Structures are given as C-alpha cells and as structure tokens.
Amino acid sequence: MTAITQIWDSLTDEFSNLEVITEPSQVAKLSLDYFHFSPILEAQLKDKRALLVVRPTTEAEVIQVAKTCVKYQVPLTIRGAGTGNYGQCIPLEGGVVLDTTKMNQIRWIKPGTACVEPGVKMASFDKKAREIGWELRMAPSTYRTATIGGFIGGGSVGMGSINYGQLRDRGNLNALRVITLEDDPQVIELRGDDVQKVNHAYGTNGIITELEIPLAPAYPWAELIVIFDDFLTAAKFGQALSDSDGIVKKMVSIHAWPIPSYFTALQHYLPSGKSCALLMICEYDLEAFSDLVHEYKGEITYNKTATEASKGTSILEFTWNHTTLHARSVDSNLTYLQTFYFSLERVEQMYHYFADEVMIHLEFLKFGGKPIPAGLQLVRFTTEERLKEIIRYHEEHGAGIANPHTYIMEDGGRKVIDPIQLAFKQKVDPNGLMNPGKMRAWLKR
Amino acid sequence: MTAITQIWDSLTDEFSNLEVITEPSQVAKLSLDYFHFSPILEAQLKDKRALLVVRPTTEAEVIQVAKTCVKYQVPLTIRGAGTGNYGQCIPLEGGVVLDTTKMNQIRWIKPGTACVEPGVKMASFDKKAREIGWELRMAPSTYRTATIGGFIGGGSVGMGSINYGQLRDRGNLNALRVITLEDDPQVIELRGDDVQKVNHAYGTNGIITELEIPLAPAYPWAELIVIFDDFLTAAKFGQALSDSDGIVKKMVSIHAWPIPSYFTALQHYLPSGKSCALLMICEYDLEAFSDLVHEYKGEITYNKTATEASKGTSILEFTWNHTTLHARSVDSNLTYLQTFYFSLERVEQMYHYFADEVMIHLEFLKFGGKPIPAGLQLVRFTTEERLKEIIRYHEEHGAGIANPHTYIMEDGGRKVIDPIQLAFKQKVDPNGLMNPGKMRAWLKR
C-alpha cells in the first residue's frame, strides 16, 4: 500500500495544474464502459478501477500526463465517452485513466474533410458540419454521446457503413496526431495507410490528440419503420434495399420478431408478431423506396421527415448495439454476438437452426464493395460453454464472429496479430504502459 | 411518288407554324446517329432517311406533331442529339423525325431532384445544377452534346454508374410526362416504377416532354491517368478501386495495351506498352487513392484538379464509347462489343483467349449493389460470322453481351420481350407509328 500511496501522492502532485478526478464513485464510473452487455466480461471487469482520472484540455497537458506516467511507470488508459462494449477503456491494471472529453475543439471543417480533437462528440460535430452540407461518414448508435476519438480507437462500423464500409477501409480516416509514451514524449503525425498503426488499437498505441476525418454529403435522412409478416422476407427486403444503387440510404437494420417487442417506445408502430426494418433513407428517394416496399409486401408504419426526426429520439437509438440495450432492459439474461453472415442463405440457416435461442438482428454494411448482412443477434444466455458452442457453430458454417465477450483486441474482430501495430507499439510505448492487457501481440511478444 | 408528295404537302402545311427541316443534307444528318461504329449497322442503316425533320419548342407543338402523324398515319421517330450507336433514332420507315433539341428548358433544380425538358444537354444542365451543389447521377461520354431525354430513351449506363448502377435501376428516374400517338393525343404522367414503360424504349412508347430526374451530390472530380506494366494488374486495380468503399469515385475505365495508343491527344501520359486506367476521383480522397495506386504498383502520369479538368477536354472523352471513336479514327476496321463480364476471372479468360483480336476496355459499374467489370472491348472486324462467333463464345462462357450490332431493342441489352412496355405501347401508340421496326415485341405481337 505504501507504494500505491507514494504513487498517488506523486501523481496528484504532478497533475496539480490539471483536472483530476479522485472521488471513488466518479472514478468507478470513468473506469468502466458498457462491458456489462456481456455476462463474461461482467464477471471479469466489474471491479477494475483506475487510481485516478485526469482530464487534460490541451495537447501540452496530454504530453505532461504521458511524461508523468512514464516517469512513474504507471499504466495509462485512454477513454472517450465510455460507450464501448468490450471494456476497451477499462484499466485492467489500474493506474491513470485519461478522459479525452475536454479535448473537444473542432479545428476546422471544410467540404469533404474536418480536423478535430479526440473528445468531440459525434452528434454535436454533425450539427456544425451540416451547416456547410456535410456530416460524418459513419457513427455508432451512441452517436449523441460518443466521441470521435473513442470511435476510432474502439469502434469499427455504424450507421453509414452501408455506404462507406468499415472504419478500417482505406479512405475512412485521413490522419492522426499521436503522443508517445517515452521519457520525452514525441508528437507523431500519421497520414494515409499509416493511420492503421493506431486505428482500432484500443488506445494501446499512443494518445490521439487530433484526427483528420473524411466527411459525407449530408442528405436529409427520413426515418422509417417497415413491418413484414415474416423475418426472412424482411431480411430479403434489407438485402434488396442495400443492393438498390438508385436509392440513397444510411442505415438498413432488420429485426426478427420478438426483437421488436423490446422497443417499448416504438410499440405503436410494431404490431405483435411482425418483423421489422428500421431505416434511414434519403428523402429525395422515398418514391422509389416505397415501390420497393410494395414489391416486398411490407407496410410502412412510421415515416418521419429529416426535420421531424431531428426533434425526437432518432430511430438510430434502436439499432446496432442499442437494440441489445433495449432488449436487456426487458430481459437481463439476454446478451449478443457480432456476426458477418456474408449471405442471406447463412442468415436463413442460423435463423432456423437456433430458433428462439438466437434472435436475429441484421445490420447491412458494405464489405469490400458489396452490401452484406452483418448482425448483432440477441442470445438467450445460459452458460459460457453454450455461448462458445454458438460461436463455434457460426464459425464452422462460414460466418465471421467479432466476439464481444473478450477484452483482448485480437480475439475480438481482428483474430490475427498485426505486426505493424506491434512494431509501432514498440516504438511509441516501449514500456507497455498503454492500456496493458488488451493487445495479445504485446503480451505474446 | 404521288402519295409521298401528297403527304409531304400535307405535313409541311400542317407544320407551317413550326421549325421544319427539309434540306436533304440536313435531313440526312438528322436521320442518323453513330451507328457506323458497327459495320453491320453501317450496311443496314446508312441510307435511312426521314421525310422531314420537325423541331418543336413546346409541348403544345409536340401534341400538334403527334396529332398530325396519326392523322396521316406517318411514322414518327424521336431524336435527341443523335449520339447513340445502335440507330436508336434512325427512321427505318422514313416519315417524320421529331428533334427535341429546342425543348431545352430546365423547369427547376432543387437539392436532389430536377425537372427538365428532354432536349436539355447534359453538360449544360450540370453547369446549372452545380451552382447549388448537385449534378447528374450518370452520363455518357457524349455528355457535352447528348440530351437528357435521349439518354433516357436510348442509353443505359455511363460515368457515375460505378455509384448508381444502370438507368433502369429503381430510383434513377423519378417521373416522365409523355404524349400519346392517338387521334386526340393525351398527356400521361408516369411516376416511380411506371417510368419503366418508357425508359430505354427507343422512343417507341410516347413522346417524352418532361423528365423528373434524381441528382447526385457534386464532388470536385479530379481526373487521373494511372499506368501499369500489364493489363491484368490494371484490371485488378480497377476492381480494387471500385471495391474501396472509402474512396469516392465517378469513373473507373481500364484499357489494355494497345488501346492507349489510339488516344492521340494523351500520348504524353501513355508510354508504349503500358495498360492504363482513366479515372475520376473525388479530390478529398486523393491521399487514400494514391496509397491504393502504390499497392498495385501503378504510376500516376496525369493528375488534374477538378478546376483544371473543367478547362480542357475531359478524360471522359476517352472512355465508354469515345474509346471506340478514337480507335476507329486510327483504324476503321475496328468495331466493338458491350459486355458484362461480371468477374475478373472471366476478363482474364477472354483476354488470353482472344489476344489481339479483342482488345479489352473495361468500365466498372454497380450491378445489383456490387461493382462489376463491364466493357466495351475493341474487336478487329473480319466478317459478320466471326463477330457472331465472338459474341457466342462470350455468352457461352457466362458473359452478358449487349449487342451493339442490332437496332432491335430487345436484341441489344434486354434480350427478353417486356410485356409491360408492349401493353403500354398498345395504349399510347395503337397504330405502331413510333419508331417502327425497333421493338420486337410489337413486330411479333
């Protein structure tokens, strides 16, 4: 305890000019994320705590934090809004959590491109960007609270992915500025392909202090719900809409009954027994869209213009992992998986094979140019062993699972160790202080 | 001859308030298109002539022309700028040619949508639309002279198809207003899926007097040439670029050596023996683009900003069927095919099988959501029999050929008779006066 007390004293002393949070309930809150969607992670992570949280406001302050952590060899974990689901920002070995939310300046927004600090919130960014006709290319369902830096550090897809694919796809992140964890921290600027050294690295590879991001043209996105008698028709409709090159859309989210029953606030639009599509469609293309709905014998039960949609709760907040949030608020035994089905045939097979145990929730996205069904299916959790069996069955039948029940970066979506990220880590964090325990490549080196 | 003279007198009398062209060389010019790219069509169509050409300026004048043609049972063929290649607007049975180029009013342009008369030229439309940040979703290489109505009547794909697919894809044409060929011509408005009754019908199904079209956001399109040591690498690069969801583009046009040798004006950028890519890429994405070029070991030899590109000849005018135009200006024995290869494997097979006899020119486009290689390959013409053999070989090996050596609508791209278009024709042109000889469904009914 003496060592901890000494470090505590040293850190609070070194950080005396910074905003430091030490109040235990605040530290607890800022040490966690939405890991509890997973019963496996819940058990592993719920007690993890930072020693303290520091909230720098400038790059100079970030450098000061970096230097101090190296000086005292204290672990450093970077955090945005903490809306991740795999403990990306949970400090396994305590130490300092650096909360980026006060680094929230938009440096500039130009047509097609913007430069921001990591703590800029996505929805508030879009509000500014839309003034000149642009918006983020993609964003998670936690759009209102999530930070841009957090999404790059721990996210991978979201609304907009039906157009732009994954964050890791070339062109979806222009440049990053990162601070190293060296005795004398350096500022490194990464551009083009080099951004992959830090993209989706859970904050293990330097502290991002600035991001240059590409934008998308801001259409007026109508929000719609379409209902279908059966799930497989809804899924086929989702694929057809995704494949319709003449209909501009931003989100295609399909839910097998009984998932719609969990969307309490939308019950008026979701009759019992029906599967549904939650959609964001360009207002200019609604006539063509309604012809497609007609072809698939769907029924539009909810249709808000972009202006109307901007006033209430966005339909976005029932999709992606917000679906899981709503479902778990009704039944806390539910958990989820993240799956690249790649084809409707595989969706159909899994739908029949698992029946009610795995309720299918699809999110369509572009994968190497093609729209594919991915999903965050809801799983009725029984045991860890059974969950592993379900994952194994999917993988043995050609689906790709980005396992959300592990906090190890490579065991989630990536699967393989990335030698480029490892080499970069050796350079920028030679002592392995950044978010220790998350990068298998580093643990196994 | 007396009958013809009588009709001539009646028509010129009825059209006395209209612009009528009767001067033989003018009539000859306005009776033809670029059919001569095909030696087969050259022989079949070169002598076809209208009796006279009429150039209405308003819908009321169009109705007058329609009524007159019905009254005297004279064939009526509609024409835009005559930039088609399959004799779409060549009057097989003489009669009246209706030239739409004076119906060139833009009714309105709003974000995402515009309403135009059929004779509006595409490039001049875009100049206006860009003032509010929008442009046409797709356009042919004859963009500078082609009319919007002509493109809808006789075209199917073009630059922009890598984003929006084909004209016939739902959402790429909002609405049409057409005049029927009845004793008392009616005005019919078609919206949504109903536009397919007239879309790509070669002007056999009513006279289009107004079109409502969807628009695309206007990016600054840089124009680039990238060269490669071998064609197959260039083709793979084309597919990879088309599949790169994070890189916004408008055109991906790939040319096997020796096709680049035909581009006289671009020789400085096209070293002997190299295959090339002619590209339109969003300026904001050029950094990611150059990383992709690097991955495929390409070399950028030409790189014009959107502003620079807008001043000289656009690279567009070396792509699509302008490629054939340039090649034929060097070697008039060359002709072409139009092919959906669907996969690079098939491109490779055809490349090796036909060697120098069929020089591969690819244009990538979206087909049901997926970017596929299509092409307008150059063929060293010997005999009609051999040309048919080449087509047959492609079809037997899974390629789709939109035969440009026939003026019959269904024998070109569509292959099958469209019962909806036939039923619509029976309603709007019960006497079969519109562009007779072009619709197999009508001939065989």
Side-chain angles (χ1 to χ4, degrees):
Chain A
M1 282 304 284
T2 326
I4 288 282
T5 310
Q6 271 178 3
I7 286 174
W8 170 276
D9 289 345
S10 303
L11 291 176
T12 47
D13 190 46
E14 296 267 6
F15 295 159
S16 61
N17 61 321
L18 306 179
E19 182 182 349
V20 176
I21 294 126
T22 56
E23 194 277 311
S25 73
Q26 281 294 304
V27 170
K29 192 180 150 210
L30 294 170
S31 296
L32 299 173
D33 64 8
Y34 284 79
F35 70 105
H36 48 78
F37 282 20
S38 161
I40 316 299
L41 295 181
E42 166 78 8
Q44 293 170 340
L45 300 178
K46 67 176 188 295
D47 298 324
K48 302 297 177 189
R49 296 291 180 276
L51 204 53
L52 55 80
V53 179
V54 61
R55 214 174 248 158
T57 60
T58 64
E59 188 177 83
E61 292 182 359
V62 168
I63 291 171
Q64 182 191 341
V65 174
K67 197 177 171 69
T68 305
C69 287
V70 176
K71 182 174 169 187
Y72 297 97
Q73 291 289 298
V74 174
L76 175 64
T77 301
I78 314 301
R79 170 189 179 85
T83 56
N85 296 95
Y86 335 125
Q88 293 102 310
C89 66
I90 295 179
L92 296 180
E93 302 181 13
V96 172
V97 159
L98 187 161
D99 176 329
T100 60
T101 54
K102 288 283 168 71
M103 293 190 67
N104 57 4
Q105 298 302 301
I106 298 173
R107 296 235 182 279
W108 46 261
I109 305 179
K110 294 190 291 198
T113 323
C115 182
V116 297
E117 289 188 335
V120 171
K121 289 191 186 300
M122 305 186 89
S124 72
F125 173 84
D126 267 358
K127 208 168 165 189
K128 289 297 285 180
R130 283 211 189 93
E131 289 173 9
I132 62 156
W134 295 83
E135 65 182 16
L136 292 167
R137 283 189 172 182
M138 61 188 90
S141 65
T142 50
Y143 178 62
R144 278 203 287 177
T145 51
T147 65
I148 296 175
F151 187 49
I152 297 297
S156 51
V157 288
M159 72 166 167
S161 284
I162 188 58
N163 297 315
Y164 294 98
Q166 303 181 74
L167 269 179
R168 74 176 65 164
D169 287 332
R170 192 180 257 146
N172 284 333
L173 175 59
N174 294 351
L176 291 172
R177 197 174 154 94
V178 293
I179 306 302
T180 68
L181 269 267
E182 297 174 276
D183 293 338
D184 194 10
Q186 302 296 302
V187 179
I188 296 180
E189 197 175 317
L190 303 169
R191 298 200 66 87
D193 281 357
D194 279 342
V195 299
Q196 305 304 346
K197 293 172 178 172
V198 175
N199 194 2
H200 198 71
Y202 289 14
T204 60
N205 270 357
I207 310 167
I208 300 171
T209 55
E210 204 173 273
L211 306 96
E212 191 183 310
I213 51 174
L215 303 178
Y219 291 89
W221 299 112
E223 299 193 355
L224 297 109
I225 298 177
V226 186
I227 57 169
F228 298 87
D229 285 342
D230 68 295
F231 166 67
L232 291 172
T233 304
K236 281 174 196 160
F237 168 80
Q239 184 73 57
L241 173 59
S242 302
D243 289 346
S244 290
D245 300 310
I247 300 175
V248 177
K249 56 262 169 190
K250 191 174 182 179
M251 195 178 67
V252 181
S253 178
I254 309 290
H255 303 264
W257 179 261
I259 298 177
S261 71
Y262 301 128
F263 302 154
T264 312
L266 299 175
Q267 282 312 294
H268 184 61
Y269 315 101
L270 298 168
S272 178
K274 306 273 187 182
S275 290
C276 74
L278 308 186
L279 308 165
M280 296 173 75
I281 307 287
C282 174
E283 277 185 16
Y284 311 138
D285 290 331
L286 284 179
E287 198 167 357
F289 168 78
S290 66
D291 285 332
L292 183 71
V293 171
H294 182 74
E295 182 184 337
Y296 282 83
K297 301 185 170 52
E299 185 193 337
I300 298 172
T301 58
Y302 179 98
N303 185 351
K304 290 205 171 177
T305 65
T307 308
E308 288 164 357
S310 69
K311 285 167 193 161
T313 300
S314 169
I315 214 168
L316 171 67
E317 295 191 357
F318 295 88
T319 65
W320 296 91
N321 232 357
H322 262 75
T323 305
T324 316
L325 180 76
H326 291 290
R328 283 177 45 79
S329 77
V330 175
D331 178 352
S332 62
N333 278 324
L334 295 175
T335 186
Y336 73 116
L337 288 173
Q338 301 179 136
T339 303
F340 289 90
Y341 290 101
F342 297 114
S343 77
L344 282 187
E345 291 68 33
R346 197 167 288 117
V347 170
E348 185 168 357
Q349 188 203 343
M350 297 300 163
Y351 178 69
H352 291 308
Y353 183 80
F354 288 108
D356 190 51
E357 187 182 12
V358 180
M359 295 169 268
I360 299 193
H361 157 203
L362 301 178
E363 299 286 347
F364 282 85
L365 53 83
K366 282 273 177 70
F367 186 89
K370 300 172 195 68
I372 62 156
L376 296 95
Q377 65 273 60
L378 294 176
V379 178
R380 295 191 192 278
F381 183 72
T382 48
T383 65
E384 184 169 353
E385 195 37 58
R386 176 58 186 160
L387 186 62
K388 283 182 182 162
E389 259 176 43
I390 294 171
I391 292 174
R392 201 159 46 237
Y393 184 87
H394 278 82
E395 290 178 340
E396 283 170 3
H397 289 79
I401 297 269
N403 186 4
H405 302 282
T406 172
Y407 55 76
I408 302 282
M409 204 164 71
E410 295 94 333
D411 295 351
R414 191 161 286 171
K415 307 299 177 200
V416 293
I417 279 172
D418 181 339
I420 292 168
Q421 284 200 345
L422 178 60
F424 190 67
K425 183 170 179 71
Q426 268 154 344
K427 180 177 164 193
V428 300
D429 181 25
N431 301 296
L433 294 174
M434 295 203 73
N435 207 356
K438 301 293 175 66
M439 188 196 267
R440 181 172 301 286
W442 183 259
L443 301 170
K444 292 183 82 170
R445 80 188 184 284
Chain B
M1 284 303 283
T2 326
I4 289 282
T5 311
Q6 268 177 4
I7 284 175
W8 170 277
D9 289 345
S10 304
L11 291 176
T12 48
D13 190 45
E14 297 266 6
F15 295 158
S16 62
N17 61 321
L18 306 179
E19 183 183 347
V20 175
I21 294 128
T22 56
E23 193 278 311
S25 72
Q26 281 294 305
V27 170
K29 193 179 150 211
L30 295 170
S31 298
L32 300 173
D33 65 7
Y34 284 79
F35 69 106
H36 50 78
F37 282 19
S38 161
I40 317 297
L41 294 182
E42 166 77 9
Q44 293 170 340
L45 300 177
K46 66 178 189 293
D47 298 325
K48 302 297 177 190
R49 294 292 179 275
L51 204 55
L52 55 79
V53 179
V54 61
R55 213 173 250 160
T57 60
T58 64
E59 188 178 83
E61 291 182 0
V62 168
I63 291 172
Q64 181 190 342
V65 173
K67 196 175 171 72
T68 305
C69 287
V70 176
K71 181 174 171 187
Y72 297 96
Q73 291 289 299
V74 175
L76 175 64
T77 301
I78 315 301
R79 169 190 179 86
T83 55
N85 295 96
Y86 336 125
Q88 293 102 310
C89 66
I90 295 180
L92 296 180
E93 302 181 13
V96 172
V97 159
L98 187 161
D99 176 329
T100 60
T101 55
K102 288 283 167 71
M103 292 189 68
N104 57 3
Q105 297 301 302
I106 298 173
R107 297 235 182 276
W108 47 260
I109 306 178
K110 293 190 290 198
T113 323
C115 182
V116 297
E117 291 188 335
V120 171
K121 289 190 185 300
M122 304 186 90
S124 73
F125 173 84
D126 267 358
K127 207 169 165 188
K128 288 297 286 181
R130 282 210 189 93
E131 288 174 9
I132 61 156
W134 295 83
E135 64 182 17
L136 292 167
R137 283 188 173 183
M138 61 188 91
S141 65
T142 50
Y143 178 60
R144 277 204 288 178
T145 51
T147 65
I148 295 175
F151 187 49
I152 297 298
S156 51
V157 288
M159 73 166 167
S161 285
I162 188 59
N163 298 315
Y164 295 97
Q166 303 182 72
L167 269 180
R168 74 176 66 163
D169 288 331
R170 192 180 259 146
N172 284 332
L173 176 59
N174 294 351
L176 291 173
R177 198 174 154 94
V178 293
I179 307 301
T180 69
L181 270 267
E182 297 173 275
D183 294 338
D184 194 10
Q186 303 297 302
V187 179
I188 296 180
E189 196 174 319
L190 303 169
R191 298 200 67 86
D193 281 358
D194 279 342
V195 300
Q196 305 304 346
K197 294 172 177 173
V198 175
N199 195 3
H200 198 71
Y202 289 13
T204 59
N205 270 357
I207 309 167
I208 299 171
T209 55
E210 204 171 274
L211 306 97
E212 192 184 308
I213 51 174
L215 303 178
Y219 292 89
W221 300 112
E223 299 194 354
L224 297 108
I225 298 177
V226 185
I227 57 169
F228 298 88
D229 285 343
D230 69 295
F231 166 68
L232 292 173
T233 304
K236 282 174 196 161
F237 168 80
Q239 184 74 57
L241 173 58
S242 302
D243 289 346
S244 290
D245 301 310
I247 300 175
V248 178
K249 55 264 170 188
K250 190 174 182 180
M251 196 180 66
V252 181
S253 179
I254 308 290
H255 303 263
W257 179 261
I259 298 177
S261 71
Y262 301 128
F263 302 154
T264 313
L266 299 176
Q267 283 311 294
H268 184 61
Y269 314 101
L270 298 168
S272 179
K274 306 274 186 183
S275 290
C276 74
L278 308 185
L279 309 165
M280 295 173 74
I281 307 288
C282 174
E283 277 185 15
Y284 311 137
D285 290 331
L286 284 178
E287 198 167 358
F289 168 78
S290 67
D291 284 332
L292 183 72
V293 170
H294 182 74
E295 182 184 335
Y296 282 83
K297 300 186 171 53
E299 185 191 339
I300 297 172
T301 59
Y302 179 98
N303 186 351
K304 290 206 171 177
T305 64
T307 308
E308 288 164 357
S310 69
K311 285 167 191 158
T313 300
S314 168
I315 215 169
L316 171 67
E317 296 191 357
F318 295 89
T319 64
W320 296 92
N321 231 356
H322 263 74
T323 305
T324 316
L325 179 77
H326 291 290
R328 284 178 45 79
S329 78
V330 174
D331 179 353
S332 61
N333 278 325
L334 295 174
T335 187
Y336 74 116
L337 287 173
Q338 301 178 135
T339 303
F340 288 91
Y341 290 101
F342 297 114
S343 77
L344 282 186
E345 292 66 35
R346 197 168 287 117
V347 169
E348 185 168 357
Q349 188 203 345
M350 298 300 163
Y351 178 70
H352 291 308
Y353 183 80
F354 288 108
D356 191 52
E357 186 182 12
V358 179
M359 294 170 270
I360 298 193
H361 158 202
L362 300 178
E363 298 285 348
F364 283 85
L365 53 83
K366 281 274 178 69
F367 186 90
K370 301 173 195 68
I372 61 156
L376 297 95
Q377 64 273 60
L378 294 175
V379 179
R380 295 192 193 278
F381 183 73
T382 48
T383 65
E384 185 169 354
E385 195 37 57
R386 177 59 186 158
L387 186 61
K388 284 182 181 161
E389 259 175 43
I390 294 171
I391 292 174
R392 200 157 49 234
Y393 184 87
H394 278 81
E395 290 178 339
E396 283 169 2
H397 288 79
I401 296 269
N403 186 4
H405 301 283
T406 173
Y407 55 75
I408 302 281
M409 205 165 69
E410 295 93 333
D411 296 351
R414 191 161 287 173
K415 305 301 177 199
V416 292
I417 278 173
D418 181 340
I420 293 170
Q421 283 200 347
L422 178 60
F424 190 68
K425 184 171 179 71
Q426 268 154 344
K427 179 177 165 192
V428 299
D429 181 25
N431 301 295
L433 295 174
M434 295 203 72
N435 208 356
K438 302 292 175 65
M439 188 196 267
R440 181 171 300 287
W442 183 260
L443 300 170
K444 292 182 83 172
R445 81 188 182 285

